[in-house]
Amino acid sequence: MHKFIALLGLTALGTGCTVGPNYKKPAAKVPGTYRGLTAEEAAKTDSASLADQKWWDVFQDEQLRSLIRTALQQNYDVRIAGARILQAQAQLGITRADQFPSVSAGAGISDQRSAKGKFFPAFETSTGKLNVSAAWDLDFWGKFRRATEAARANLLESEAARQEVMLTLVARVSSAYFQLRALDLELEISKRTLASRQESLRLTTILADRGSTSMLDVRQAEQLVFTAAAEIPSLEQQIEQEENLISILLGKNPDTVARGQTLTEQARPPAVPAGLPSSLLERRPDIRQAEEQLIGANAQIGVAKAAYFPQISLSGSAGLQSAALTNLFSGPSGTWDFGTSLAQPIFTAGKLRSNVRLAEAGQQASLLFYQQTIQGAFRTVSDALIAYRKTREFRAQEELLFQSAQDAARLSHMRYTGGVTGYLEVLTNETNAFSAELGLVQAQLNELLALVQLYEALGGGWQQ
């Protein structure tokens, strides 16, 4: 018994050996600055980033904040990601348990009676038994510890995946809401334009009835009315479909969506800090998810290499056994047995070697995916920075275009009323003004969408 305990202790001390490579964070090619920054922005060394702000600080519309909160609580993708974290936690517990002994206990009572035979009398026996048994596959080569390391990396990968889902959800809800408010504004413009053109058609019809103008002017005025009227059902269709999308993102059945600030009231920061490129590696959940995947793949190499070495197992049991239950705990009824076994693979037709190669190839693929994810992240940020700056410039030009088109429409009406020009000029300039106003709305929307995309690209939105 004492020898067994000593052997157990010596073996436990020897379990510090772990085969396989230890994980080392790969070097990443990080640019000094993001491409897409202006010269002034690139010269700044401030480490602050837009993504460091919580989403409720970036988006100032209280109704939008309410929608995002509801989505983060009820969206099915977020809830599925949460369930996968629970799965990974349970799997970690299962894998980690392999490092420790398993202990079980049992008890039993049996009665036996034999009939009287020709050469022996009848007899009856009763046996009671109580025992405790233990078994332990020693983790001498670190197989189970490497498997636990991989399972822990899988758990952290699941947590990063949930953060990525949250980040994407915040961006999707925000973008859909801004799209909805843009459609609302376009519908408002179309209805206002339709009412104005219907009044213009009424006046033109009166003039035609009096002989002051021709029916051609009436038909041209009708075209303006029909153009504005045709926009309304299309916009109403898009509005209801956008509401359906937002409702699904919120984990609800399709329904109406409450509104807050108008599109033009939404906050648009004149400049957004991008922060240091090196901080992007820690902030973006998809990069951390790829790294945890790499850590798990690296640990699997150790699991595969441990199969080359002997598997050492210890087992033992101790208990009590007696033919009389009254003597089970008092008489000399103790029983025990202990043993150890060793199994060494000798010939596997290259299976073990192939398993190691498979794990090493998986680790290499995960490393390349990690590097690719980092490279893609820098490209996404660069694209978003360029998009935000250029959409702001485009929106400024669209404002000038709308002001010019609006003034041209006003002047053409004055010229037509004064009898200087025909209604065709009014038709042309009214059409241009209507298109320019709708174009300005789209430019304002694109600026907001670019802000959302930049916030998402920088890794903002998952922080709670």
Side-chain angles (χ1 to χ4, degrees):
M1 180 71 173
H2 296 293
K3 292 181 179 180
F4 175 76
I5 295 175
L7 176 62
L8 207 77
L10 289 173
T11 308
L13 290 174
T15 57
C17 175
T18 306
V19 298
N22 293 324
Y23 175 75
K24 293 181 181 179
K25 192 179 183 71
K29 296 180 181 179
V30 179
T33 58
Y34 293 111
R35 186 171 188 262
L37 295 174
T38 63
E40 295 180 357
E41 292 171 337
K44 297 179 181 179
T45 57
D46 189 3
S47 61
S49 172
L50 172 69
D52 293 328
Q53 301 181 38
K54 304 295 190 294
W55 57 261
W56 53 86
D57 293 327
V58 175
F59 306 116
Q60 299 297 317
D61 189 331
E62 187 56 44
Q63 185 57 45
L64 174 56
R65 291 172 177 171
S66 177
L67 294 175
I68 294 175
R69 289 191 192 97
T70 302
L72 291 174
Q73 292 173 357
Q74 299 181 183
N75 179 267
Y76 280 100
D77 289 335
V78 174
R79 292 159 67 183
I80 291 171
R84 286 174 178 161
I85 290 177
L86 298 179
Q87 286 180 311
Q89 287 175 339
Q91 185 59 54
L92 174 59
I94 294 171
T95 305
R96 185 173 178 271
D98 290 335
Q99 300 180 47
F100 303 95
S102 61
V103 182
S104 60
I109 299 175
S110 63
D111 292 320
Q112 181 179 4
R113 183 181 184 279
S114 297
K116 178 180 178 181
K118 184 176 181 181
F119 302 103
F120 52 84
F123 69 91
E124 183 176 345
T125 62
S126 179
T127 304
K129 187 176 183 180
L130 179 67
N131 74 307
V132 177
S133 61
W136 190 10
D137 289 337
L138 297 178
D139 194 22
F140 193 83
W141 313 109
K143 174 182 177 180
F144 299 138
R145 276 169 288 157
R146 288 299 190 195
T148 301
E149 182 182 342
R152 186 175 292 108
N154 183 58
L155 171 59
L156 296 177
E157 180 186 347
S158 299
E159 292 175 349
R162 180 174 182 270
Q163 293 170 355
E164 175 69 14
V165 170
M166 294 169 64
L167 177 150
T168 303
L169 180 62
V170 169
R172 291 186 65 191
V173 173
S174 304
S175 298
Y177 181 77
F178 291 146
Q179 181 71 54
L180 179 63
R181 298 308 281 140
L183 291 170
D184 288 338
L185 182 54
E186 289 180 2
L187 181 61
E188 177 186 332
I189 291 170
S190 297
K191 288 183 176 180
R192 171 168 38 86
T193 301
L194 176 60
S196 174
R197 291 179 177 181
Q198 285 175 334
E199 177 61 19
S200 178
L201 173 61
R202 187 184 69 82
L203 295 176
T204 304
T205 303
I206 292 174
L207 291 176
D209 292 341
R210 293 176 181 178
S212 300
T213 188
S214 66
M215 285 302 296
L216 177 60
D217 290 344
V218 175
R219 294 293 176 259
Q220 290 174 337
E222 288 176 343
Q223 293 177 39
L224 292 176
V225 171
F226 299 150
T227 300
E231 288 290 328
I232 293 176
S234 175
L235 290 170
E236 290 175 338
Q237 172 189 339
Q238 295 177 64
I239 286 172
E240 291 196 32
Q241 291 174 340
E242 200 69 23
E243 286 181 321
N244 291 345
L245 170 61
I246 294 175
S247 298
I248 297 301
L249 292 175
L250 268 57
K252 300 179 179 180
N253 290 326
D255 201 353
T256 57
V257 174
R259 270 69 155 177
Q261 297 175 354
T262 63
L263 186 73
T264 55
E265 293 172 338
Q266 302 296 330
R268 296 174 176 83
V272 292
L276 299 176
S278 58
S279 64
L280 191 69
L281 304 186
E282 301 299 326
R283 191 188 305 114
R284 280 189 51 141
D286 60 335
I287 295 179
R288 290 188 285 105
Q289 183 181 357
E291 184 177 8
E292 294 300 335
Q293 189 179 62
L294 173 60
I295 293 173
N298 187 79
Q300 289 296 339
I301 297 177
V303 175
K305 286 187 174 181
Y308 276 117
F309 301 95
Q311 181 178 345
I312 304 172
S313 301
L314 300 177
S315 62
S317 65
L320 303 170
Q321 182 174 345
S322 174
L325 292 180
T326 55
N327 297 328
L328 185 61
F329 297 99
S330 59
S333 55
T335 64
W336 61 268
D337 69 84
F338 297 99
T340 182
S341 64
L342 183 147
Q344 170 64 52
I346 296 177
F347 176 73
T348 60
K351 179 179 179 180
L352 299 182
R353 182 173 63 254
S354 296
N355 278 336
V356 173
R357 290 177 178 175
L358 177 64
E360 290 174 341
Q363 188 269 352
Q364 186 63 25
S366 296
L367 173 60
L368 293 173
F369 178 73
Y370 172 66
Q371 294 170 337
Q372 182 187 47
T373 303
I374 293 175
Q375 192 177 71
F378 286 123
R379 180 203 167 178
T380 304
V381 172
S382 178
D383 288 348
L385 286 168
I386 295 170
Y388 187 62
R389 187 174 75 251
K390 294 304 180 181
T391 52
R392 288 180 62 81
E393 295 175 4
F394 181 76
R395 187 258 306 157
Q397 294 302 314
E398 285 293 301
E399 288 177 348
L400 297 176
L401 174 62
F402 170 60
Q403 292 171 6
S404 177
Q406 193 177 41
D407 194 48
R410 181 183 63 82
L411 292 174
S412 64
H413 269 288
M414 292 175 60
R415 285 164 54 83
Y416 175 72
T417 304
V420 178
T421 186
Y423 202 82
L424 179 60
E425 181 178 305
V426 176
L427 172 65
T428 301
N429 287 288
E430 279 281 352
T431 302
N432 291 341
F434 183 50
S435 298
E437 190 168 12
L438 294 180
L440 176 58
V441 173
Q442 191 63 44
Q444 293 168 334
L445 170 63
N446 289 339
E447 182 181 354
L448 286 170
L449 294 180
L451 175 64
V452 174
Q453 291 166 1
L454 178 57
Y455 184 56
E456 180 184 12
L458 289 170
W462 59 267
Q463 301 92 333
Q464 297 299 304

